[in-house]
């Protein structure tokens, strides 16, 4: 079974083509700058060579057409024709309360996704463009939607409700939804496979840390709390997002900086976080280099960044009544050993014995970083959301 996985952003399209019979990645790449000047497709050949092809791509349908053309190209392709693609899986950012699992896409599902678009105005419309493009280009090919929010629909109401007047929830759906669900689900399952333990009997904390970041508490295979909220702005300090702040500070800043609501959204999502505070970069590698060079602001933001992660882990250890597995994933979680070390320092009280030497210089591979006698297993598990999406597609179609 060959499954194409698409992740359509506002100006990008990432893709992977899987042979799910063997689990092989047949092709992968992405288009950048959709609808902008100088758009291009970049992909990796099987020999590891990276190819970049420039092309004017005014919209997502044109981009998906270009991807399919390359997949069947005599020089670059890996399939002979479109009919070899058995199914298409889509990453969909926001499913609201309507979707608690991945679903086969029908017109009814599309209508519900349109209703959810106001919760993720930058992402859901782009996700829908990808779905509609495939519907037009490959009308007989089944499509499956996999939602960032679905995994967190198991949270209890006391974890997801906000203390606004109740009608705000009833009328507008204002509540905690959480994101990165596909990643949290993949790495937690994969960690249990590696350790040879039962997924539905573990207390797990997953820390997906990258330019965006979230921490999730998983008990017996179900998400019971997560740091992101109604939007991806809440929780951890991120590349350009502020994370948790005093809500009362927002109207104060609006007044002082003369901001309207759109400007405030831009301020907290694009001009804050690591980049906004440091005035250096949103890339943690740049911040770490500046820290080692003695930059005071870089030191401050790194301390803030690591502290917030540690704070959430401590809180989730409390609601889980202990932790069996702590997992780091995402660009920073997988690659930045200094952040892992700071987060895991002085955690002996909860039975976490961290191997500092083993942790140093470990990057991007599956590994246990706790000492053998540690009650808490600390792991790095590189995320693979695309494989999780392809797996969901396979399961749904086989049980249809």
């Amino acid at each position: 079974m060959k499954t194409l996985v698409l992740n359509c952003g506002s100006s990008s399209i990432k893709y992977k083509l899987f042979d799910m019979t063997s689990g092989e990645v047949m092709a992968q790449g992405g288009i950048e700058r959709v609808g902008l000047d100088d758009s291009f497709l970049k992909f990796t050949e099987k020999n590891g060579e990276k190819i970049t092809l420039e092309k004017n791509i005014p919209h997502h349908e044109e981009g998906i057409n270009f991807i399919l053309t390359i997949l069947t190209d005599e020089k670059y392709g890996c399939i002979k024709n479109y009919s070899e693609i058995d199914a298409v899986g889509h990453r969909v950012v926001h499913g609201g309360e309507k979707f608690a699992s991945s679903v086969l896409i029908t017109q009814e599902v599309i209508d519900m996704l349109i209703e959810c678009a106001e919760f993720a105005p930058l992402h859901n419309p782009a996700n829908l463009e990808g779905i509609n493009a495939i519907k037009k280009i490959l009308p007989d090919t089944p499509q499956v939607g996999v939602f960032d929010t679905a995994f967190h629909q198991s949270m209890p109401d006391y974890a997801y409700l906000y203390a606004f007047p109740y009608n705000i929830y009833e009328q507008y759906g204002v509540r905690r939804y959480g994101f990165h669900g596909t990643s949290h689900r993949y790495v937690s399952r994969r960690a249990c496979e590696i350790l040879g333990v039962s997924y539905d009997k573990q207390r797990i904390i997953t820390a997906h840390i990258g330019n965006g970041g979230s921490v999730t508490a998983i008990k017996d295979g179900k998400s019971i709390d997560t740091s992101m909220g109604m939007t991806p702005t809440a929780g951890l300090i991120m590349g350009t997002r502020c994370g948790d702040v005093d809500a009362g500070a927002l109207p104060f800043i609006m007044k002082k900086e003369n901001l309207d609501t759109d400007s405030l959204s831009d301020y907290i999502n694009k001009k804050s976080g690591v980049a906004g505070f440091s005035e250096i970069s949103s890339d943690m590698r740049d911040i770490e280099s500046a820290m080692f060079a003695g930059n005071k602001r870089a030191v401050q933001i790194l301390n803030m960044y690591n502290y917030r992660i540690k704070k959430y882990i401590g809180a989730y250890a409390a609601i889980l009544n202990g932790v069996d597995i702590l997992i780091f994933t995402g660009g920073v979680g997988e690659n930045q050993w200094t952040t892992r070390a700071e987060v895991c320092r002085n955690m002996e009280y909860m039975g976490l014995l961290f191997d500092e030497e083993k942790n140093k210089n470990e990057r991007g591979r599956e590994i246990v970083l706790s000492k053998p006698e540690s009650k808490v297993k600390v792991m790095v598990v590189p995320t693979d959301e695309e494989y999780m999406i392809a797996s969901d597609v396979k399961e749904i179609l086989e049980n249809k």
Side-chain angles (χ1 to χ4, degrees), residues 42 48 53 55 80-81 92 95 137 139 156-157 179 188 199 210 218 230 235 249 288 297 300 318 329 355 373 380 382:
K42 181 181 286 187
L53 302 175
K55 180 179 171 61
K80 292 182 179 178
N81 52 62
V92 182
I137 302 165
D157 58 3
F179 299 88
S188 57
Y199 182 57
I218 301 167
M230 174 180 154
E288 191 174 54
R297 200 83 65 79
Q300 285 178 310
T329 193
D355 193 326
E373 63 271 26
V380 173

Side-chain angles (χ1 to χ4, degrees), residues 213-244:
S214 62
V215 179
T216 293
I218 301 167
K219 187 174 183 180
D220 302 335
K222 294 182 178 180
S223 170
I224 62 169
D225 205 349
T226 191
S227 59
M228 282 182 167
M230 174 180 154
T231 75
T233 313
L236 304 181
I237 296 168
M238 296 169 247
T240 61
R241 298 178 192 139
C242 59
D244 288 344

Side-chain angles (χ1 to χ4, degrees), residues 10-154:
S10 56
S11 62
S12 65
I13 308 170
K14 296 176 183 176
Y15 71 92
K16 273 190 182 182
L17 180 66
F18 290 90
D19 181 344
M20 290 306 291
T21 304
S22 62
E24 175 195 2
V25 177
M26 300 176 67
Q28 62 182 315
I31 292 176
E32 300 291 336
R33 300 183 60 81
V34 175
L36 304 170
D37 294 335
D38 304 320
S39 47
F40 60 90
L41 168 64
K42 181 181 286 187
F43 59 93
T44 305
E45 292 205 278
K46 287 196 173 183
N47 62 6
E49 184 183 357
K50 296 187 184 298
I51 306 293
T52 300
L53 302 175
E54 295 182 1
K55 180 179 171 61
N56 179 38
I57 302 172
H59 47 71
H60 287 74
E61 184 180 327
E62 180 68 29
I64 289 171
N65 257 318
F66 189 33
I67 289 168
L68 291 171
T69 299
I70 294 302
L71 289 175
T72 54
D73 183 76
E74 189 174 326
K75 181 178 180 181
Y76 298 119
C78 57
I79 57 175
K80 292 182 179 178
N81 52 62
Y82 296 174
S83 65
E84 289 189 47
I85 298 173
D86 298 299
V88 179
H90 296 267
R91 179 207 179 200
V92 182
V93 169
H94 217 303
E97 292 186 321
K98 299 179 185 297
F99 301 101
S101 61
S102 303
V103 296
L104 188 68
I105 292 173
T106 62
Q107 187 56 51
E108 182 183 7
V109 169
I110 291 173
D111 293 341
M112 287 191 284
L113 289 179
I114 292 170
E115 291 178 30
C116 295
E118 66 177 338
F119 291 120
L122 292 178
H123 297 93
N124 272 36
N127 303 154
L128 280 162
E129 285 189 42
I131 291 166
N132 288 326
I134 291 294
K135 190 177 177 183
K136 185 175 179 180
I137 302 165
L138 302 173
D140 298 323
T141 303
Q143 301 187 71
V144 169
V146 181
F147 306 89
D148 278 11
T149 52
F151 183 56
H152 303 301
Q153 284 297 298
S154 54

Side-chain angles (χ1 to χ4, degrees), residues 96-391:
E97 292 186 321
K98 299 179 185 297
F99 301 101
S101 61
S102 303
V103 296
L104 188 68
I105 292 173
T106 62
Q107 187 56 51
E108 182 183 7
V109 169
I110 291 173
D111 293 341
M112 287 191 284
L113 289 179
I114 292 170
E115 291 178 30
C116 295
E118 66 177 338
F119 291 120
L122 292 178
H123 297 93
N124 272 36
N127 303 154
L128 280 162
E129 285 189 42
I131 291 166
N132 288 326
I134 291 294
K135 190 177 177 183
K136 185 175 179 180
I137 302 165
L138 302 173
D140 298 323
T141 303
Q143 301 187 71
V144 169
V146 181
F147 306 89
D148 278 11
T149 52
F151 183 56
H152 303 301
Q153 284 297 298
S154 54
M155 288 189 292
D157 58 3
Y158 54 78
Y160 69 70
L161 288 172
Y162 294 130
F164 295 123
Y166 193 69
N167 71 293
I168 296 297
Y169 165 63
E170 285 187 305
Q171 289 182 240
Y172 309 118
V174 176
R175 52 158 284 184
R176 182 181 305 280
Y177 289 101
F179 299 88
H180 296 136
T182 307
S183 175
H184 289 295
R185 182 161 57 105
Y186 172 80
V187 299
S188 57
R189 286 178 178 275
R190 179 61 187 147
C192 291
E193 289 175 5
I194 294 167
L195 296 173
V197 296
S198 177
Y199 182 57
D200 59 3
K201 294 181 180 178
Q202 303 300 311
R203 298 164 298 176
I204 304 171
I205 297 176
T206 48
H208 177 113
I209 314 167
N211 195 47
S214 62
V215 179
T216 293
I218 301 167
K219 187 174 183 180
D220 302 335
K222 294 182 178 180
S223 170
I224 62 169
D225 205 349
T226 191
S227 59
M228 282 182 167
M230 174 180 154
T231 75
T233 313
L236 304 181
I237 296 168
M238 296 169 247
T240 61
R241 298 178 192 139
C242 59
D244 288 344
V245 295
D246 174 3
L250 300 179
F252 180 86
I253 293 170
M254 289 179 75
K255 186 176 180 180
K256 292 294 185 181
E257 294 290 313
N258 194 28
L259 303 176
D260 59 18
T261 53
D262 289 339
S263 298
L264 178 67
S265 179
D266 193 58
Y267 189 84
I268 62 177
N269 281 290
K270 298 179 181 178
K271 296 180 179 178
S272 298
V274 172
F277 184 90
S278 70
E279 298 180 327
I280 297 170
S281 171
S282 64
D283 191 317
M284 293 301 289
R285 291 168 294 189
D286 296 335
I287 301 299
E288 191 174 54
S289 296
M291 177 199 69
F292 288 131
N295 184 292
K296 182 180 177 182
R297 200 83 65 79
V299 173
Q300 285 178 310
I301 193 59
L302 270 172
N303 287 338
M304 293 160 61
Y305 183 90
N306 295 334
Y307 175 81
R308 184 72 60 84
I309 299 166
K310 191 184 192 86
K311 185 176 176 180
Y312 264 101
I313 290 170
Y316 288 169
I319 66 168
L320 287 167
N321 190 27
V323 186
D324 298 308
I325 309 169
L326 170 61
I327 304 163
F328 290 95
T329 193
V332 176
E334 294 168 25
N335 297 299
Q336 194 153 312
W337 69 270
T338 52
T339 286
R340 297 193 301 257
E342 287 302 316
V343 170
C344 291
R345 189 159 289 136
N346 298 322
M347 289 277 204
E348 292 83 4
Y349 72 93
M350 56 188 274
L352 193 162
L353 303 177
F354 192 63
D355 193 326
E356 296 267 5
E357 289 304 314
K358 193 174 185 181
N359 175 57
K360 286 182 180 178
N361 302 313
E362 278 295 343
R363 296 173 58 87
R365 72 185 183 102
E366 296 177 342
I367 189 169
V368 176
L369 294 176
S370 48
K371 294 180 179 179
E373 63 271 26
S374 178
K375 292 181 180 178
V376 180
K377 297 297 182 186
V378 182
M379 303 179 69
V380 173
V381 180
T383 193
D384 195 340
E385 294 166 281
E386 293 86 359
Y387 181 78
M388 192 82 255
I389 292 170
S391 297

